[in-house]
Amino acid sequence: MKSITAQVLGFHRNNKRLWINKGRIAEAKMAAGMRITHIENHESGEWIVRPSDDGRTSIANTAKGAVIDLNTKEFTEFFKDFQKVQVIPGENEIIIRGHHAESQIKEREERFLRRVGTGEPLRKGGAFAGLGLLCRSIHRGLKASGVAVKQAFANEYNPIAAEVNIAGNEVWEDATEDAVFCVDDIYTMDMDIVPLLDLLVLGSPCPAFSQLNTKRQREGKKDIFHPESGTIFQPILEMVRRSNPAMVILENAKFFEGSIFDYIMTDVMDRFGYVAQAVVVTGQEFGGFEKRERLCKVWISKGLPALSLEHLPFKQANERTFADVLEPIGDDDPRWARRKYLEAKDAETHNGHKYCITPLNATKIPTCGANYHKVQPDSALVAHPAIPMVTRIMTPAEHCNLRDISGDLKANV
């Protein structure tokens, strides 16, 4: 049997201190009175204690049994980045390593700072990637700020969205040589394929926190009790553990914050060595047509410079009009129709739902939800140029224009 014991380093006479007791010493087939030496293996990060007739110290024989007391400047320097170590007895040796969790923190922070400092591209990955618009925005933002970045990984459950992303999204034009796009259920996918990343982007499902999902709200099936995505924090956290990024960015409905799901994720991420920051942003604050309130939550490795989301520097008003996103549609196209059910809903005084015929000069429109295709109240509708009360919804091409999707990505949509 092999034992691995986590121990907190003490501090004595300005040096870090580690006591190894008789149990670990006996496992290594060593005993009190033996002279010992050590080997510093910097490549593997191991401090190895072994018996040696020429050793400068010996295993002490105390009232509590055999003890190895490590308390030197060399030991302190070797484990300067660690508060905990792992003690592993072997055959006539005891191996001491920096604790696994702290080693992960050290590795990702050094990797991140090295890449930013040398101009080597950051490795970025995304889960719940969809068409990849969130990954694309972050990609563009980093490059505009002078930070090199390459896409190294993505996961998406929907094969159509994944196909469009792979075929048309600019993030794959200069992806890493080992880049992987996994089209699979995150619950059951092979996590062994998840590579090391510097940045992980999570466009995680929001139905569990959406106030528009009134049916689930009434049934009490929200938050972690949502049947499709309530427990998806488990594979998310496994993906974080595997990819060990310096930074994790999550986008979701604003009601995610303060949820049980949020508590679980943040608690575990804290144990992984991350510090959280969050802010609610709206599309209209950042050049969009829709208000669309969204939570942006960022976890950054605790040893990196602190992050502030309070005063984001790149806010801008939308300067386009609704007419700018529209494309030519014939006046007799069958998509034009009279929506009498919407007119009736608009006439009701006891509800706040409206028939939203959108002016061509509008710079703000209602949020286009996932059910936009159903032509429901509160959806931005295009007015017929000649016939009053006749409208249509935006076409896929116009919706692309609204979202600033062009080129190959628009063609594939």
Side-chain angles (χ1 to χ4, degrees), residues 142-217:
L142 287 169
K143 287 190 171 183
S145 300
V147 179
V149 60
K150 287 182 178 289
Q151 193 76 10
F153 175 77
N155 164 256
E156 170 54 39
Y157 177 69
N158 186 302
I160 297 175
E163 184 177 347
V164 171
N165 190 335
I166 294 169
N169 197 316
E170 67 197 53
V171 303
W172 301 107
E173 293 173 3
D174 60 350
T176 63
E177 292 184 0
D178 63 342
V180 174
F181 198 124
C182 176
V183 186
D184 200 353
D185 186 340
I186 192 173
Y187 279 103
T188 55
M189 64 174 279
D190 179 7
M191 286 289 179
D192 287 340
I193 68 173
V194 178
L196 288 175
L197 301 170
D198 299 299
L199 175 62
L200 177 62
V201 181
L202 303 171
S204 59
C206 64
F209 312 102
S210 173
Q211 296 299 295
L212 296 177
N213 197 344
T214 54
K215 182 175 183 294
R216 294 296 190 197
Q217 295 279 332

Side-chain angles (χ1 to χ4, degrees), residues 137-323:
S137 294
I138 292 170
H139 214 80
R140 289 178 174 180
L142 287 169
K143 287 190 171 183
S145 300
V147 179
V149 60
K150 287 182 178 289
Q151 193 76 10
F153 175 77
N155 164 256
E156 170 54 39
Y157 177 69
N158 186 302
I160 297 175
E163 184 177 347
V164 171
N165 190 335
I166 294 169
N169 197 316
E170 67 197 53
V171 303
W172 301 107
E173 293 173 3
D174 60 350
T176 63
E177 292 184 0
D178 63 342
V180 174
F181 198 124
C182 176
V183 186
D184 200 353
D185 186 340
I186 192 173
Y187 279 103
T188 55
M189 64 174 279
D190 179 7
M191 286 289 179
D192 287 340
I193 68 173
V194 178
L196 288 175
L197 301 170
D198 299 299
L199 175 62
L200 177 62
V201 181
L202 303 171
S204 59
C206 64
F209 312 102
S210 173
Q211 296 299 295
L212 296 177
N213 197 344
T214 54
K215 182 175 183 294
R216 294 296 190 197
Q217 295 279 332
R218 289 193 301 270
E219 295 172 344
K221 294 179 179 179
K222 58 181 182 177
D223 203 340
I224 62 169
F225 304 104
H226 191 271
E228 282 83 40
S229 58
T231 58
I232 213 163
F233 56 82
Q234 191 280 326
I236 288 175
L237 290 168
E238 174 65 7
M239 188 171 285
V240 171
R241 191 184 69 81
R242 296 269 184 158
S243 60
N244 196 31
M247 190 179 297
V248 177
I249 299 176
L250 177 141
E251 174 266 340
N252 210 299
K254 68 176 183 178
F255 299 103
F256 175 96
E257 191 169 25
S259 65
I260 302 172
F261 191 117
D262 182 25
Y263 171 81
I264 293 170
M265 262 204 73
T266 300
D267 178 72
V268 177
M269 290 292 284
D270 177 70
R271 296 170 192 268
F272 285 177
Y274 293 92
V275 178
Q277 288 280 334
V279 65
V280 174
V281 299
T282 69
Q284 289 171 358
E285 290 179 310
F286 296 91
F289 281 89
E290 305 155 283
K291 183 177 180 180
R292 191 181 286 274
E293 294 178 298
R294 305 299 286 178
L295 174 72
C296 171
K297 187 147 189 173
V298 179
W299 287 272
I300 187 166
S301 195
K302 65 180 183 179
L304 294 176
L307 181 72
S308 174
L309 300 177
E310 293 181 3
H311 303 290
L312 298 175
F314 37 84
K315 293 185 178 182
Q316 62 182 41
N318 174 35
E319 296 179 351
R320 296 186 296 163
T321 66
F322 193 51

